[in-house]
Short mmCIF file of all heavy atoms in Angstrom, two decimals:
data_model
loop_
_atom_site.label_atom_id
_atom_site.label_comp_id
_atom_site.label_asym_id
_atom_site.label_seq_id
_atom_site.Cartn_x
_atom_site.Cartn_y
_atom_site.Cartn_z
N ASP V 131 -20.87 -42.10 -21.10
CA ASP V 131 -21.36 -43.38 -20.59
C ASP V 131 -20.88 -44.54 -21.44
O ASP V 131 -20.46 -45.59 -20.92
CB ASP V 131 -22.90 -43.37 -20.55
CG ASP V 131 -23.42 -42.37 -19.53
OD1 ASP V 131 -22.65 -41.97 -18.63
OD2 ASP V 131 -24.60 -41.97 -19.65
N ARG V 132 -20.94 -44.36 -22.74
CA ARG V 132 -20.49 -45.44 -23.62
C ARG V 132 -19.00 -45.69 -23.47
O ARG V 132 -18.55 -46.83 -23.42
CB ARG V 132 -20.81 -45.06 -25.07
CG ARG V 132 -20.42 -46.14 -26.07
CD ARG V 132 -20.79 -45.72 -27.49
NE ARG V 132 -20.42 -46.74 -28.45
CZ ARG V 132 -20.52 -46.60 -29.76
NH1 ARG V 132 -21.02 -45.48 -30.27
NH2 ARG V 132 -20.16 -47.58 -30.58
N THR V 133 -18.24 -44.60 -23.33
CA THR V 133 -16.80 -44.76 -23.13
C THR V 133 -16.49 -45.49 -21.84
O THR V 133 -15.62 -46.36 -21.80
CB THR V 133 -16.12 -43.38 -23.13
OG1 THR V 133 -16.39 -42.72 -24.38
CG2 THR V 133 -14.61 -43.52 -22.95
N GLN V 134 -17.23 -45.16 -20.78
CA GLN V 134 -17.00 -45.81 -19.49
C GLN V 134 -17.34 -47.29 -19.55
O GLN V 134 -16.61 -48.14 -19.02
CB GLN V 134 -17.85 -45.12 -18.41
CG GLN V 134 -17.59 -45.64 -17.00
CD GLN V 134 -16.16 -45.43 -16.58
OE1 GLN V 134 -15.60 -44.36 -16.80
NE2 GLN V 134 -15.55 -46.43 -15.97
N ARG V 135 -18.45 -47.63 -20.23
CA ARG V 135 -18.81 -49.05 -20.37
C ARG V 135 -17.75 -49.81 -21.14
O ARG V 135 -17.37 -50.94 -20.77
CB ARG V 135 -20.17 -49.18 -21.06
CG ARG V 135 -21.35 -48.75 -20.21
CD ARG V 135 -22.65 -49.23 -20.81
NE ARG V 135 -22.87 -48.73 -22.14
CZ ARG V 135 -23.51 -47.60 -22.43
NH1 ARG V 135 -23.98 -46.85 -21.45
NH2 ARG V 135 -23.69 -47.21 -23.67
N LEU V 136 -17.25 -49.21 -22.19
CA LEU V 136 -16.22 -49.87 -22.98
C LEU V 136 -14.92 -50.01 -22.18
O LEU V 136 -14.24 -51.04 -22.28
CB LEU V 136 -15.96 -49.08 -24.27
CG LEU V 136 -17.11 -49.07 -25.28
CD1 LEU V 136 -16.78 -48.18 -26.47
CD2 LEU V 136 -17.41 -50.48 -25.76
N GLU V 137 -14.60 -49.00 -21.38
CA GLU V 137 -13.39 -49.07 -20.56
C GLU V 137 -13.52 -50.18 -19.52
O GLU V 137 -12.56 -50.93 -19.27
CB GLU V 137 -13.14 -47.73 -19.88
CG GLU V 137 -12.68 -46.62 -20.82
CD GLU V 137 -11.29 -46.88 -21.37
OE1 GLU V 137 -10.54 -47.66 -20.76
OE2 GLU V 137 -10.95 -46.32 -22.43
N ASP V 138 -14.70 -50.30 -18.90
CA ASP V 138 -14.91 -51.36 -17.91
C ASP V 138 -14.81 -52.73 -18.56
O ASP V 138 -14.20 -53.66 -18.00
CB ASP V 138 -16.28 -51.18 -17.25
CG ASP V 138 -16.36 -49.91 -16.42
OD1 ASP V 138 -15.28 -49.38 -16.06
OD2 ASP V 138 -17.48 -49.44 -16.15
N GLU V 139 -15.43 -52.86 -19.72
CA GLU V 139 -15.36 -54.15 -20.42
C GLU V 139 -13.93 -54.48 -20.81
O GLU V 139 -13.47 -55.62 -20.69
CB GLU V 139 -16.25 -54.10 -21.66
CG GLU V 139 -16.32 -55.42 -22.41
CD GLU V 139 -17.25 -55.35 -23.61
OE1 GLU V 139 -17.88 -54.29 -23.80
OE2 GLU V 139 -17.36 -56.34 -24.34
N LYS V 140 -13.20 -53.46 -21.26
CA LYS V 140 -11.81 -53.66 -21.62
C LYS V 140 -10.98 -54.09 -20.42
O LYS V 140 -10.14 -55.01 -20.51
CB LYS V 140 -11.24 -52.38 -22.22
CG LYS V 140 -9.76 -52.44 -22.55
CD LYS V 140 -9.26 -51.09 -23.03
CE LYS V 140 -7.75 -51.12 -23.25
NZ LYS V 140 -7.23 -49.79 -23.65
N ALA V 141 -11.21 -53.44 -19.27
CA ALA V 141 -10.46 -53.79 -18.07
C ALA V 141 -10.74 -55.23 -17.64
O ALA V 141 -9.82 -55.97 -17.25
CB ALA V 141 -10.80 -52.82 -16.94
N GLY V 142 -12.01 -55.64 -17.73
CA GLY V 142 -12.33 -57.01 -17.36
C GLY V 142 -11.67 -58.03 -18.28
O GLY V 142 -11.15 -59.06 -17.82
N LEU V 143 -11.69 -57.76 -19.57
CA LEU V 143 -11.07 -58.68 -20.52
C LEU V 143 -9.55 -58.72 -20.34
O LEU V 143 -8.93 -59.79 -20.43
CB LEU V 143 -11.42 -58.27 -21.95
CG LEU V 143 -12.90 -58.40 -22.33
CD1 LEU V 143 -13.14 -57.85 -23.73
CD2 LEU V 143 -13.35 -59.86 -22.26
N GLU V 144 -8.96 -57.56 -20.07
CA GLU V 144 -7.51 -57.54 -19.86
C GLU V 144 -7.13 -58.30 -18.58
O GLU V 144 -6.09 -58.96 -18.53
CB GLU V 144 -7.02 -56.09 -19.77
CG GLU V 144 -7.04 -55.37 -21.11
CD GLU V 144 -6.58 -53.93 -20.98
OE1 GLU V 144 -6.49 -53.45 -19.82
OE2 GLU V 144 -6.30 -53.29 -22.01
N LYS V 145 -7.97 -58.21 -17.56
CA LYS V 145 -7.70 -58.94 -16.33
C LYS V 145 -7.73 -60.45 -16.58
O LYS V 145 -6.86 -61.20 -16.12
CB LYS V 145 -8.71 -58.56 -15.26
CG LYS V 145 -8.47 -59.24 -13.93
CD LYS V 145 -9.50 -58.79 -12.90
CE LYS V 145 -9.26 -59.50 -11.56
NZ LYS V 145 -10.29 -59.07 -10.56
N GLN V 146 -8.75 -60.91 -17.29
CA GLN V 146 -8.82 -62.34 -17.62
C GLN V 146 -7.63 -62.77 -18.47
O GLN V 146 -7.06 -63.85 -18.26
CB GLN V 146 -10.13 -62.65 -18.34
CG GLN V 146 -11.36 -62.48 -17.47
CD GLN V 146 -12.63 -62.85 -18.22
OE1 GLN V 146 -12.58 -63.26 -19.39
NE2 GLN V 146 -13.76 -62.69 -17.58
N ARG V 147 -7.25 -61.91 -19.42
CA ARG V 147 -6.10 -62.25 -20.27
C ARG V 147 -4.83 -62.36 -19.44
O ARG V 147 -4.04 -63.30 -19.62
CB ARG V 147 -5.94 -61.18 -21.35
CG ARG V 147 -4.79 -61.44 -22.32
CD ARG V 147 -4.39 -60.18 -23.02
NE ARG V 147 -3.91 -59.19 -22.05
CZ ARG V 147 -3.66 -57.91 -22.37
NH1 ARG V 147 -3.88 -57.48 -23.59
NH2 ARG V 147 -3.23 -57.07 -21.45
N ASP V 148 -4.63 -61.40 -18.52
CA ASP V 148 -3.44 -61.42 -17.70
C ASP V 148 -3.40 -62.65 -16.80
O ASP V 148 -2.34 -63.26 -16.60
CB ASP V 148 -3.35 -60.15 -16.85
CG ASP V 148 -3.16 -58.91 -17.70
OD1 ASP V 148 -2.70 -59.05 -18.86
OD2 ASP V 148 -3.46 -57.81 -17.21
N GLU V 149 -4.56 -63.03 -16.26
CA GLU V 149 -4.59 -64.21 -15.41
C GLU V 149 -4.22 -65.46 -16.20
O GLU V 149 -3.52 -66.34 -15.69
CB GLU V 149 -5.99 -64.36 -14.80
CG GLU V 149 -6.30 -63.29 -13.75
CD GLU V 149 -7.72 -63.42 -13.23
OE1 GLU V 149 -8.48 -64.24 -13.79
OE2 GLU V 149 -8.07 -62.70 -12.26
N LEU V 150 -4.70 -65.53 -17.43
CA LEU V 150 -4.37 -66.70 -18.25
C LEU V 150 -2.91 -66.68 -18.68
O LEU V 150 -2.25 -67.72 -18.69
CB LEU V 150 -5.29 -66.74 -19.47
CG LEU V 150 -6.76 -67.05 -19.19
CD1 LEU V 150 -7.58 -66.94 -20.47
CD2 LEU V 150 -6.92 -68.45 -18.61
N GLU V 151 -2.40 -65.50 -19.03
CA GLU V 151 -1.02 -65.43 -19.50
C GLU V 151 -0.02 -65.62 -18.36
O GLU V 151 1.03 -66.24 -18.55
CB GLU V 151 -0.78 -64.07 -20.17
CG GLU V 151 -1.49 -63.92 -21.52
CD GLU V 151 -1.23 -62.57 -22.14
OE1 GLU V 151 -0.66 -61.71 -21.44
OE2 GLU V 151 -1.59 -62.37 -23.31
#
Side-chain angles (χ1 to χ4, degrees):
D131 294 340
R132 182 179 180 186
T133 301
Q134 185 61 44
R135 289 195 301 269
L136 292 176
E137 289 292 339
D138 294 341
E139 183 178 357
K140 176 185 175 184
L143 293 175
E144 288 179 347
K145 182 179 179 181
Q146 293 182 2
R147 181 199 62 190
D148 294 339
E149 290 176 352
L150 291 174
E151 290 180 350

